[in-house]
Amino acid sequence: MEWEAVIGLEIHAQLATTTKIFSGASTAFGAEANTQACAVDLALPGTLPVFNTKALEMAVMFGTAIDAEINKTSVFDRKNYFYPDSPKGYQTSQLFYPIVGTGSLEIELSDGNSKLIGVTRAHLEEDAGKSLHEKFPSMTGIDLNRAGTPLLEIVSDPDMSSAEEAVAYAKKIHSIVTSIGICDGNMAEGSFRVDCNVSVRHKGEQKLGNRTETKNINSFRFIEKAIKGEIIRQIEILEDGGSIPQETRLYDAEKDQTRTMRSKEEANDYRYFPCPDLLPIVIEDDYIDAIRSKLPELPDAKRQRFSEQYNLAAKDAAVISGNRAQADYFEIVATSTKDAKLAANWLLGEMAKTLNQNDLQIDQSPVDAQALAALLLRIKDNSISVNAARQVFEAMWNGEGSADQIISDKGLKQVTDTGAIEKIVREVIANSDKQVQQYIAAEPDKRGKMLGYFMGQIMKASKGKANPGQVQGLLKPILDSLCN
Amino acid sequence: MFSKTIAQLARGLKDGEFSSCEITENYLDRISAQDNKYNSYITVTPELAMQQAKAADAVIGAGNAGIMTGIPIAHKDIFCSKGTRTSAGSKMLDNFIAPYDATLIEKFNAANSVSLGKTNMDEFAMGSSNENSYYGPVINPWGENRVPGGSSGGSAAAVAAQLAPAATGTDTGGSIRQPCALTNLSGIKPTYGRVSRFGMIAFASSLDQAGPIAKTAEDAAILLNVMAGFDPKDSTSADKPVSDYTASLNQPLAGLKIGLPKEFFSDDLNPLMAEQVQAAVKEYQALGAQIKEISLPNTALSIPAYYIIAPAEASSNLSRFDGVRYGHRCDAPLDLEDMYKRTRQEGFGPEVKRRILVGTYALSEGFYDAYYKKAQQIRRLIQQDYINALKEVDVIMGPTTPQPAFKIGAKTSDPVEMYMEDIYTLSLNLAGLPGMSIPCGMVDGLPVGLQIIGNYFAEERLLNVAHMFQQATDWHKNTAPGL
Amino acid sequence: MALDRQDVEKIAHLARINIDKKDINEYLGNLTSILDLVDQMQRVDTQNVEPLSHPLDAIQRLRADDITESNQREQLQQVAPAVEEGLFLVPKVID
């Protein structure tokens, strides 16, 4: 019997507000422990919440971006549970009346097909603090700086059936929230976290199997691995005649496996009820319309525009438009160089590779868009070879100066003087007697492949400065002339 | 001096009859000499009081005095006051020095009043007798074996024993009005949202409201002028202009329409008290008021609805007392679970634990609809009763309590019997309406309270109605025996 | 709805309150009588009655997204039971 997986995601996007959802403390990442936790965040007796206007605006932006229903009345509820990083003993969330109702979005799959994924709801809530378990031998340290950071929890319908679909959906949400500027999308810092609900059932079966929830996954790669692993684990258990307990699990990236989360072992009874310290949020059509009209270009529209305006390959257009900072970067380079193809190649090639190696985001790159454009212009005007450009890029990355400065400091300017190049070509041919004889002896249609050796020698002799196109133009006629 | 009202003290200060330092010192001396009889204060703050009195005298000297400048008052120990222990009557917060001021405290500081200290109360404001305090019961100055009412029993006892000219209180189900009734004082629970709740330790957020406890309606008006007002730090605070509550105190009552709900005069009411309340109503008729019998049919349901809603909210509000960031923590916890459970076992008293358990149960899976939702629906019915009634009458009157101050220990064995004490006061909190209690007679040497209920934000009218009664009668001038 | 000892233990666990075994019966008695009291509500027909959460018919006010709170760690942690390196300490938690 064939199995199929049923997957739904709950995505927690930290909203990019300056202050907390219910207090005037800063949400900036990385501050010293508890220095951004005010009396309200610490749930001091007598403190009360007041709702941040920006958090509301951002939630509505998301709703309009996915064309979802916006609930004109939404209500904060209390989700009661005890945990030391939840200072009030409850989390303020929205269960009964969320701000964003049903919507949907389309994901593109690698086979070229697309699929519509339903969004059940998106609701506002507050983030918890952080528990540091490793810092002290027998104690856990609690840092409440993050407590009260606004979150938009985006809940999907269980519409996905593979890790690939889940990742495509998560990436789509990521690109939307970053494009409209409501979340910085920084997964390493926890700004965008994904809970994966996974169950399996026999194909054709209507009833859903028991699901597990794997919490707080903070990279797309881990989502893929966690889901794949979880599907296999569940199928193995079921095929062995076992059953899947409904439980919360954690993904351990080092072991590449999920495990039961001990602190959530018991079934919880959250005793939700409307928060009496907060009143219903009521918004008008005008408010929603104003937000809709100010919405920045969405990833789908941007992708469309990129492939039309810049003539990018569909895949490149999708990748570049998927991240707002990257899209903005690209547009600057493409416009400045008037060569979108070159800009895309570098952005997705050298730049992506280097960012990856250094674990950085595009907006943290030491080489900004103007600087990269300046470099690419030197390729275009044949001042440097592509290989030399890579060297220059590396030097720019290391802060050694502008493209022109480095080209001149390192003497990387290409030789384009035909006479000089021809001289080197002839020297190399003269010193490669054996290879020249082999070239002459070879069938004419095999000779093309043999040019590589000479090219290599010539580039070496020119210290990489000879323009490869020019070398190629000179080399073959000279060699062919020897064959007659 | 100790029998003077705020209005009288303010005049004396203005005329240079005495200084704030003198009044304050006198009160502090009296507290240290007498409060062992009443246990009305949890914390007395002599240094702070003298410092504030000195500052107030300087303000008076400079001719900038407001009516509250230099007037000493006592605050219920539920309001966070920076640098002073704020215990809410609980062992849980016995070591809690508040690091910030409640909005109400800020307002009194800004008015240059003097804080004598923090008054005793039922733990987390849960109680009707002040027997639920970690700091021991409060004794009613009207009888050494009598309760002063609760939960603002310390505030009421302090004022009744002349250990403070006036005090602040809070009222979640009658906690200002009932102690006032039992100690012959005048107090008002304003409309929900009229006084900021910021810095007031929450019992039941949708019911809690702060108000004054005073010797006269006029003093209550003066105090409410300081306390009332919109606070951006409290989402439930009413963003409405505040009247000058003293402005129309003397407005004649001719034509005032008074409703008497028949449900407030049922068999539960002590017949001698009923007579006193009826006599007060006659007095109002003499002042030109018209009387109409009305019905608040769902009154009896206010007890069950309240004893679900208040515990439910409390169970959640009191979850923050977990031993992590402040307050009591048990010794040598084995693990996190043990820390939570023993901290809360040790830190909370029996009534608080009972209510947390009831509230937890009412919200738990499978019971929410039958309890919490049902109670909120009944709450709407109760509110609707009042809205309908207040279309026909200006104010509603009745007894504040079914009987006068009862004996200490009389109702402690059965929580439900204690809850019945609140039968006439709870429904107002459920509806969010303002209500007062003023003295209107004596039964067996114990005071009787007349409750006056008005429409939303009709505090000015209520205070006027109360004040005019006090111009015509002397009940409020009665002081506890031996003073 | 009759409660038993187990219910009381379960509720106490949810509320994270330890109850000594010897006290369970007393709590059971108290809770039972309170629940009997509130069961009066069940006699009332509340179909189509909108629950009332807030006495005033008001809506949530919004706060500007401006920083109003600066670092007050030292002051706020003075009342904390256990603090080290700026962190609140609790017995070790295993996720």
Side-chain angles (χ1 to χ4, degrees), chain C residues 76-87:
Chain C
L76 296 178
Q77 289 192 336
Q78 270 173 10
V79 291
V83 165
E84 208 173 313
E85 294 179 48
L87 296 160

Side-chain angles (χ1 to χ4, degrees), chain C:
Chain C
M1 275 165 254
L3 288 182
D4 58 25
R5 287 175 63 99
Q6 254 186 325
D7 292 325
V8 175
E9 284 178 336
K10 198 188 128 200
I11 300 163
H13 171 68
L14 268 180
R16 297 299 185 275
I17 294 176
N18 194 48
I19 293 184
D20 294 334
K21 286 267 181 254
K22 64 174 172 51
D23 294 335
I24 293 182
N25 275 342
E26 194 189 334
Y27 277 99
L28 177 60
N30 288 160
L31 296 192
T32 302
S33 64
I34 295 169
L35 292 174
D36 286 347
L37 170 75
V38 301
D39 270 346
Q40 290 174 43
M41 296 191 303
Q42 308 308 334
R43 295 200 299 265
V44 186
D45 179 10
T46 52
Q47 232 185 344
N48 304 322
V49 178
E50 185 65 21
L52 180 69
S53 301
H54 291 282
L56 301 181
D57 189 21
I59 62 168
Q60 181 59 39
R61 222 165 350 88
L62 300 169
R63 174 179 62 77
D65 185 24
D66 298 329
I67 295 178
T68 55
E69 304 298 321
S70 50
N71 175 19
Q72 304 157 61
R73 184 174 79 181
E74 202 176 323
Q75 196 190 351
L76 296 178
Q77 289 192 336
Q78 270 173 10
V79 291
V83 165
E84 208 173 313
E85 294 179 48
L87 296 160
F88 296 98
L89 294 189
V90 298
K92 190 104 166 168
V93 182
I94 299 152
D95 266 334

Side-chain angles (χ1 to χ4, degrees), chain A residues 22 34 39-51 77-90 96 138-140 142 144 266-279, chain B residues 80 93 96 99-100 192 196-202 204-206 232-237 312-313 315-322 324-326 329 336-337 340 344 359-361 363-365 368 372 376:
Chain A
F22 299 124
N34 289 309
V40 173
D41 304 327
L42 257 50
L44 248 55
T47 55
L48 294 170
V50 186
F51 183 38
D77 300 303
R78 291 184 182 177
K79 178 183 183 179
N80 294 285
Y81 67 95
F82 286 88
Y83 201 73
D85 62 18
S86 170
K88 296 192 292 290
Y90 56 83
F96 302 107
S138 62
M139 304 295 268
T140 289
I142 307 295
L144 297 172
E266 56 179 303
N268 247 315
D269 181 345
Y270 291 122
R271 290 159 284 136
Y272 279 99
F273 76 109
C275 179
D277 286 329
L278 291 159
L279 299 170
Chain B
C80 285
L93 291 177
F96 180 66
Y100 76 103
Y192 179 80
S196 169
R197 293 189 298 115
F198 188 81
M200 178 177 129
I201 298 175
S205 308
S206 77
K233 290 180 188 163
D234 174 1
S235 294
T236 61
S237 163
E313 292 184 8
S315 72
S316 175
N317 283 336
L318 270 58
S319 290
R320 66 187 59 199
F321 302 106
D322 58 4
V324 177
R325 299 162 312 285
Y326 47 76
R329 176 189 285 197
L336 183 69
E337 207 68 7
Y340 282 148
R344 291 163 63 79
T360 302
Y361 182 66
L363 292 173
S364 66
E365 212 175 315
Y368 180 87
Y372 191 73
Q376 297 281 48

Side-chain angles (χ1 to χ4, degrees), chain B residues 97-410:
Chain B
I97 310 293
Y100 76 103
D101 276 329
T103 299
L104 176 139
I105 299 287
E106 272 180 358
K107 281 173 174 269
F108 276 106
N109 288 344
N112 290 305
S113 75
V114 173
S115 172
L116 294 168
K118 311 291 288 289
T119 58
N120 205 342
M121 57 183 282
D122 280 307
E123 186 180 1
F124 287 105
M126 298 180 192
S128 312
S129 66
N130 226 302
E131 291 163 291
N132 299 332
S133 169
Y134 174 63
Y135 301 93
V138 177
I139 308 300
N140 190 334
W142 288 86
E144 60 181 347
N145 55 357
R146 300 276 166 179
V147 303
S151 65
S152 312
S155 288
V159 180
Q162 299 183 344
L163 301 178
T168 55
T170 62
D171 188 317
T172 304
S175 290
I176 288 174
R177 290 161 288 155
Q178 186 247 15
C180 280
L182 270 42
T183 57
N184 211 52
L185 296 173
S186 303
I188 181 166
K189 177 202 100 70
T191 307
Y192 179 80
R194 184 67 295 179
V195 176
S196 169
R197 293 189 298 115
F198 188 81
M200 178 177 129
I201 298 175
F203 161 17
S205 308
S206 77
L207 304 164
D208 294 343
Q209 183 58 203
I213 291 176
K215 288 175 180 153
T216 63
E218 184 187 16
D219 278 5
I222 291 168
L223 292 164
L224 190 57
N225 271 348
V226 177
M227 300 164 79
F230 171 66
D231 182 4
K233 290 180 188 163
D234 174 1
S235 294
T236 61
S237 163
D239 192 0
K240 271 183 186 292
V242 179
S243 344
D244 174 356
Y245 296 112
T246 59
S248 53
L249 285 174
N250 291 303
Q251 192 185 307
L253 299 185
L256 178 77
K257 282 186 240 160
I258 298 173
L260 298 182
K262 59 177 187 216
E263 292 80 4
F264 281 29
F265 295 88
S266 63
D267 295 346
D268 302 329
L269 178 61
N270 175 322
L272 295 173
M273 286 186 59
E275 280 173 26
Q276 300 288 318
V277 173
Q278 292 294 0
V281 170
K282 287 231 163 58
E283 188 65 46
Y284 273 106
Q285 273 177 302
L287 291 169
Q290 300 161 15
I291 309 301
K292 188 175 166 54
E293 186 180 288
I294 58 164
S295 174
L296 299 167
N298 293 297
T299 297
L301 289 169
S302 60
I303 292 182
Y306 178 89
Y307 280 98
I308 287 299
I309 293 168
E313 292 184 8
S315 72
S316 175
N317 283 336
L318 270 58
S319 290
R320 66 187 59 199
F321 302 106
D322 58 4
V324 177
R325 299 162 312 285
Y326 47 76
H328 178 69
R329 176 189 285 197
C330 69
D331 277 335
L334 301 174
D335 55 24
L336 183 69
E337 207 68 7
D338 184 49
M339 183 190 81
Y340 282 148
K341 288 186 172 175
R342 277 199 293 127
T343 294
R344 291 163 63 79
Q345 175 184 31
E346 297 164 7
F348 293 137
E351 179 62 16
V352 171
K353 282 188 266 197
R354 265 196 290 278
R355 296 205 195 182
I356 290 175
L357 295 179
V358 169
T360 302
Y361 182 66
L363 292 173
S364 66
E365 212 175 315
F367 299 104
Y368 180 87
D369 283 1
Y371 288 122
Y372 191 73
K373 188 175 164 208
K374 188 83 179 178
Q376 297 281 48
Q377 289 172 313
I378 287 174
R379 184 176 190 181
R380 169 122 12 225
L381 297 178
I382 289 167
Q383 183 194 43
Q384 208 54 53
D385 284 354
Y386 274 112
I387 290 173
N388 293 339
L390 287 164
K391 280 178 192 155
E392 294 176 35
V393 297
D394 301 316
V395 293
I396 295 169
M397 285 187 191
T400 307
T401 61
Q403 55 175 325
F406 48 91
K407 285 189 176 153
I408 290 171

Side-chain angles (χ1 to χ4, degrees), chain A residues 34-322:
Chain A
N34 289 309
T35 55
Q36 288 175 180
C38 68
V40 173
D41 304 327
L42 257 50
L44 248 55
T47 55
L48 294 170
V50 186
F51 183 38
N52 184 337
T53 183
K54 211 74 190 164
L56 173 63
E57 193 181 317
M58 288 178 171
V60 174
M61 280 174 82
F62 175 78
T64 54
I66 65 162
D67 239 342
E69 217 177 294
I70 309 285
N71 291 319
K72 287 191 199 135
T73 300
S74 64
V75 176
F76 282 113
D77 300 303
R78 291 184 182 177
K79 178 183 183 179
N80 294 285
Y81 67 95
F82 286 88
Y83 201 73
D85 62 18
S86 170
K88 296 192 292 290
Y90 56 83
Q91 179 193 33
T92 310
S93 181
Q94 298 186 309
L95 177 72
F96 302 107
Y97 302 98
I99 178 80
V100 177
T102 54
S104 65
L105 49 84
E106 205 173 56
I107 56 169
E108 290 76 34
L109 302 169
S110 59
D111 62 7
N113 288 331
S114 58
K115 182 173 177 179
L116 202 64
I117 307 293
V119 171
T120 318
R121 56 188 279 146
H123 62 259
L124 283 159
E125 61 183 29
E126 58 186 337
D127 210 341
K130 279 183 185 162
S131 301
L132 306 172
H133 304 303
E134 312 301 332
K135 205 174 165 70
F136 307 101
S138 62
M139 304 295 268
T140 289
I142 307 295
D143 174 7
L144 297 172
N145 280 349
R146 196 179 68 176
T149 299
L151 291 177
L152 188 66
E153 178 173 340
I154 304 156
V155 182
S156 82
D157 291 340
D159 284 351
M160 290 153 278
S161 52
S162 68
E164 187 206 350
E165 289 180 9
V167 169
Y169 168 80
K171 283 187 170 166
K172 187 70 176 243
I173 295 282
H174 187 269
S175 76
I176 291 171
V177 295
T178 53
S179 294
I180 62 177
I182 65 167
C183 175
D184 69 18
N186 190 325
M187 296 179 80
E189 288 177 3
S191 306
F192 188 91
R193 315 193 290 269
V194 180
D195 299 346
C196 303
N197 292 306
V198 177
S199 66
V200 298
R201 64 181 171 193
H202 284 299
K203 244 192 178 132
E205 178 83 45
Q206 284 303 306
K207 207 172 150 270
L208 289 170
N210 268 353
R211 65 177 168 81
T212 62
E213 181 181 17
T214 305
K215 281 194 107 60
N216 281 336
I217 309 182
N218 65 351
S219 96
F220 294 122
R221 204 155 47 90
F222 293 162
I223 296 173
E224 186 178 349
K225 288 182 152 194
I227 292 177
K228 279 186 171 157
E230 185 56 21
I231 293 172
I232 292 169
R233 191 186 70 86
Q234 290 191 14
I235 292 175
E236 277 175 359
I237 291 173
L238 293 172
E239 286 191 335
D240 286 348
S243 62
I244 308 294
Q246 194 124 336
E247 62 175 0
T248 304
R249 301 179 68 83
L250 276 180
Y251 177 70
D252 183 334
E254 272 171 41
K255 294 184 190 150
D256 184 22
Q257 61 188 26
T258 63
R259 65 168 170 86
T260 302
M261 195 169 170
R262 287 186 45 185
S263 55
K264 302 259 177 175
E265 249 170 321
E266 56 179 303
N268 247 315
D269 181 345
Y270 291 122
R271 290 159 284 136
Y272 279 99
F273 76 109
C275 179
D277 286 329
L278 291 159
L279 299 170
I281 305 162
V282 178
I283 50 178
E284 308 288 341
D285 281 326
D286 290 356
Y287 177 84
I288 301 169
D289 292 344
I291 285 177
R292 199 189 302 274
S293 69
K294 281 189 301 188
L295 210 57
E297 187 179 32
L298 292 171
D300 281 354
K302 191 166 273 187
R303 186 188 52 184
Q304 183 89 17
R305 180 167 65 81
F306 278 12
S307 66
E308 283 164 11
Q309 181 182 339
Y310 298 112
N311 232 333
L312 292 186
K315 199 175 163 222
D316 292 354
V319 174
I320 294 174
S321 63

Side-chain angles (χ1 to χ4, degrees), chain B residues 60 312 359 410 417:
Chain B
I60 295 166
E417 202 191 330

Side-chain angles (χ1 to χ4, degrees), chain A residues 95 127 138 203 245 272 279 337-338 370 384 431 434 457:
Chain A
L95 177 72
D127 210 341
S138 62
K203 244 192 178 132
Y272 279 99
L279 299 170
T337 58
K338 297 190 178 61
Q370 293 296 353
I384 51 170
N431 294 331
K434 189 175 148 206
Q457 292 300 309

